[in-house]
Amino acid sequence: MNRIKQKLQEDKKILSIYFSAGYPNLNDTLQIIQDLEKNGVDMIEIGLPFSDPLADGPTIQASSTKALQNGMTTQILFDQLKDIRESVSIPLVIMGYFNPMLQYGVENFCKKCAEIGIDGLIIPDLPVDVYAEQYKATFDKYGLINVFLITPQTSDERIRFIDSVSSGFIYMVSSASVTGSQSGFGSTQEDYFKRIADMNLKNPQIIGFGINNAETFNQATQYAKGAIIGSAFITHLKDNGTGKIDTFVKAIR
């Protein structure tokens, strides 16, 4: 069974951490992943840097830019991760934009992910309709879960279509904004969390955008299976390098 599906079956709230591969230094990727698992993180989203990251706020954009300046490429990331399953067992997801995957070749990209032991992909700019028609068969062939995003503006009809095409979890964006642009959740967001929970979708939801401490993690996971932290962890890496990852994770739960 896919590691994401296995993890989602565990009786616990999922803590997923995002970081940009190749940041703060080109060859930090492997150590960061190992340290996150060692300190109890349940799932890791590895950001594949791209020059035009539409959904990302200034913090993640800056880390992506720095990673590209460091020399990070799709092939270098695959080379860095080639032996990752010798030391890491939790689910690993690559989050990136479609252009680099298209340039690499979608089938080649999926095949490489499967060889390495990547469990899923998050591609914010790949519409679910296009995926279902053109790429789902390829993802299925290589055992990869594709994770789709929903926002407070996504219609119920669209959410149910996404749910029907999905086979892992749904990435629930907490608000109609970019990453790292808010702190805390108000009643509008809580109403949205409740509304989605009441839809009884077949795929669990994991909430991202705006999770940055224990309080927001606990708020989000009242209504969802887990939460994703990105910008706050990038800021931690900026301030501390790859040190004190244990301190960061322990502060969340």
Side-chain angles (χ1 to χ4, degrees), residues 10-23:
E10 292 181 13
D11 184 22
K12 67 186 296 192
K13 296 299 185 180
I14 302 296
L15 172 59
S16 181
I17 298 282
Y18 167 94
F19 75 99
S20 299
Y23 179 86

Side-chain angles (χ1 to χ4, degrees), residues 19-73:
F19 75 99
S20 299
Y23 179 86
N25 299 299
L26 180 64
N27 293 313
D28 287 339
T29 309
L30 190 60
Q31 185 194 334
I32 290 171
I33 294 170
Q34 291 168 336
D35 287 354
L36 286 170
E37 179 179 50
K38 190 169 68 179
N39 287 288
V41 169
D42 300 297
M43 183 160 58
I44 297 171
E45 292 174 20
I46 305 160
L48 178 59
F50 182 54
S51 56
D52 188 22
L54 302 173
D56 295 321
T59 302
I60 292 177
Q61 277 194 25
S63 70
S64 187
T65 299
K66 180 69 164 69
L68 291 170
Q69 289 169 350
N70 289 342
M72 179 53 74
T73 65

